[in-house]
Amino acid sequence: MREPARELFRDAAFPASDSSLFSSFSTPLAQFREEITWRRPQEICATPRLFADNPQEGQVKQGLLGDCWFLCACAALQKSQHLLDQGDSASPGARERMCSGFPYWRRSTPSSGALGSFHAFIVSDLRELRGQAGQSILLLRIQNPWGRRCWQGPWREGGEGWSQVDAADRSELLSQLQEGEFWVEEEEFLREFDEVTIGYPVTEAGHLQSLYSGKALCHTQALPGAWVKGQSAGGCRNNSGFPSNPKFWLRVSEPSEVYVALLQRRGADGVARARAPVGDPTSFPSKDYQAVGLHVWKVEKRRVSLPRALSAPPVAGTVCHAYDREVHLRCELAPGYYLAVPSTFLKDVPGRFLLRVFSSGRVSLSAIKPAAQSPAHREASPAGEWETVRLRGSWRVGRTAGGSRNFASYPTNPCFPLSVPEGTGPRCVRITLRQHCQDSKCHPIGFHVFQVPADGGGLGAPSLLLQEPLLSCVPHCYTQEVSRLCHLSAGTYRIVPSTYLPDTEGAFTVTVETRIDRRSIHSQEMLGQLLQEASFMAVMKT
């Protein structure tokens, strides 16, 4: 029986075609399109090997490709066998999309020689020496992915800086240099380089390792999220809409060193935007990312008062909102519940993100679902005729601004009567509270509905409001409008709208829509069209 013909492997995710290298033919790489030849490893050399026995000895060189930032990352990964073993195929068009990439900023100063601006380098080693005068000297070993030595500073080979250290140290450090590497002193490094990206070590087990304590961060949680304009894009803590941002429960089970990282999708709305030309200082990453921040609050229990919790100082937070792909914070957390809130600096900026937690102890992460739906997504009203009543009122300092039920002043809030007539059963009622304000100046609002006993029970309004409400629209939300659809039996009720905090002034309208329990009227005129009886409208002022 003839054996089936053996075919050479073809990578479906990375075919030997232009689609694997180019996405728009918009980079300098495209000029070599006609000169590219695809070859299998054995067609390049007799004994092809992806990595040597000791890959750390290999040299990553940039060559003609415009992706120094990517090659720097490769050189850093080269130091970890565990990470090398996790290599994967690139996505279609990835090579062209990597061209130029993120510029690791450095100044063009007279001492920089041929290094050039907006170029990335690798810090491959760090050595602290004792100078001949007894002083401490910190040297950093730098690698240029261009593959050539071009540093003209005092610690170049043969430079005057080496006269400060012992000959044995000088010989040892210079002998370690490979092509494209050089040593610089700490002061030079801080003067010449503007930005440093630090990669955390990875243990043999595949866990991140703390740079502060050396502990393995072996517990990992991750959840996606999004800022949605008009719903969950509340902006930074300067905005009243901040509590509407996505929120996450972080439960810490034991004392832990915790890292919380916020990774935003490229072009915070999920769209990758075009960069400025390579080497253009305006190509700062703000063109691709929004300014984002992250804050964490300690809460006593899971049923937490959101406005009260967020008005307190967070236990940890980013120093500022940054135009970075990822921001993170480190903290030592005791067991308990924590509230994590990622945000953009500006309000109503859409975007998608990934929230990740790395911890030395056991943790769990879960998303908090919105407590109240926005008016645009509220429950649809059943078909039929509706009677509408609009009640206008206001909260006034010292008079009718009593705040929520957490405060003794709550009974001073406006109190509106609601009467549900007898019928075949409970009536469908929608109650809506809308405050008269701009979105940026909204107060957290909500309302309660109390049922008046059939005999009155001898309860006045203040006493009635001290009883448990029949239904509620809480927690108080930073939004212009909140609404609740319910079914109420025949009887008398009181609607009490409130802000969360007392002495918060504002005007509002309470709209009560009650479904009319009768059939529509058919006209005997004009082709028998269906007529809708006009709804009754009343206005009550306080």
Side-chain angles (χ1 to χ4, degrees), residues 125-129 137-141 155 162 165 173 183-186 188:
D125 198 2
L126 187 70
R127 293 291 297 271
E128 188 170 6
L129 305 178
I137 300 175
L138 183 65
L139 295 180
L140 295 93
R141 182 176 167 184
W155 293 91
W162 295 108
V165 300
L173 268 60
W183 291 95
V184 298
E185 194 174 3
E186 179 184 19
E188 291 179 278

Side-chain angles (χ1 to χ4, degrees), residues 85 153 163 183 244 445 493 509 539:
D85 292 340
S163 62
W183 291 95
S244 67
I445 59 172
Y493 302 86
T509 297
V539 176

Side-chain angles (χ1 to χ4, degrees), residues 432-446:
T432 303
L433 170 62
R434 182 179 181 84
Q435 57 179 317
H436 305 165
C437 67
Q438 298 179 350
D439 286 345
S440 60
K441 298 181 179 179
C442 286
H443 302 304
I445 59 172

Side-chain angles (χ1 to χ4, degrees), residues 109-133:
T109 59
S111 64
S112 63
L115 290 183
S117 300
F118 317 118
H119 184 43
F121 297 80
I122 309 105
V123 179
S124 57
D125 198 2
L126 187 70
R127 293 291 297 271
E128 188 170 6
L129 305 178
R130 184 65 59 185
Q132 293 181 347

Side-chain angles (χ1 to χ4, degrees), residues 390-414:
R390 290 194 175 92
L391 312 168
R392 296 174 183 170
S394 61
W395 298 291
R396 300 299 178 200
V397 173
R399 297 172 57 192
T400 57
S404 67
R405 296 182 69 228
N406 295 338
F407 301 94
S409 56
Y410 176 75
T412 64
N413 279 301

Side-chain angles (χ1 to χ4, degrees), residues 259-280:
Y259 292 76
V260 188
L262 173 64
L263 174 69
Q264 60 174 319
R265 305 298 187 188
R266 187 170 185 180
D269 54 4
V271 178
R273 300 180 176 86
R275 284 191 173 274
V278 177
D280 185 343

Side-chain angles (χ1 to χ4, degrees), residues 166-176:
D166 291 339
D169 290 333
R170 176 176 67 248
S171 177
E172 177 193 355
L173 268 60
L174 288 176
S175 67
Q176 295 176 3

Side-chain angles (χ1 to χ4, degrees), residues 394-515:
S394 61
W395 298 291
R396 300 299 178 200
V397 173
R399 297 172 57 192
T400 57
S404 67
R405 296 182 69 228
N406 295 338
F407 301 94
S409 56
Y410 176 75
T412 64
N413 279 301
C415 185
F416 299 98
L418 169 63
S419 179
V420 177
E422 294 286 347
T424 57
R427 292 291 183 90
C428 187
V429 179
R430 179 185 292 283
I431 303 173
T432 303
L433 170 62
R434 182 179 181 84
Q435 57 179 317
H436 305 165
C437 67
Q438 298 179 350
D439 286 345
S440 60
K441 298 181 179 179
C442 286
H443 302 304
I445 59 172
F447 63 82
H448 297 280
V449 177
F450 298 84
Q451 186 169 17
V452 179
D455 57 359
L459 295 177
S463 299
L464 176 66
L465 270 53
L466 294 177
Q467 310 301 311
E468 282 298 312
L470 177 69
L471 61 90
S472 305
C473 186
V474 291
H476 291 68
C477 297
Y478 281 95
T479 183
Q480 196 165 33
E481 182 179 297
V482 293
S483 182
R484 177 76 188 270
L485 185 67
C486 56
H487 288 80
L488 298 177
S489 300
T492 303
Y493 302 86
R494 296 290 185 269
I495 305 172
V496 182
S498 63
T499 57
Y500 177 74
L501 295 175
D503 291 335
T504 302
E505 292 204 336
F508 62 83
T509 297
V510 173
T511 302
V512 180
E513 301 167 273
T514 306
R515 190 174 185 276

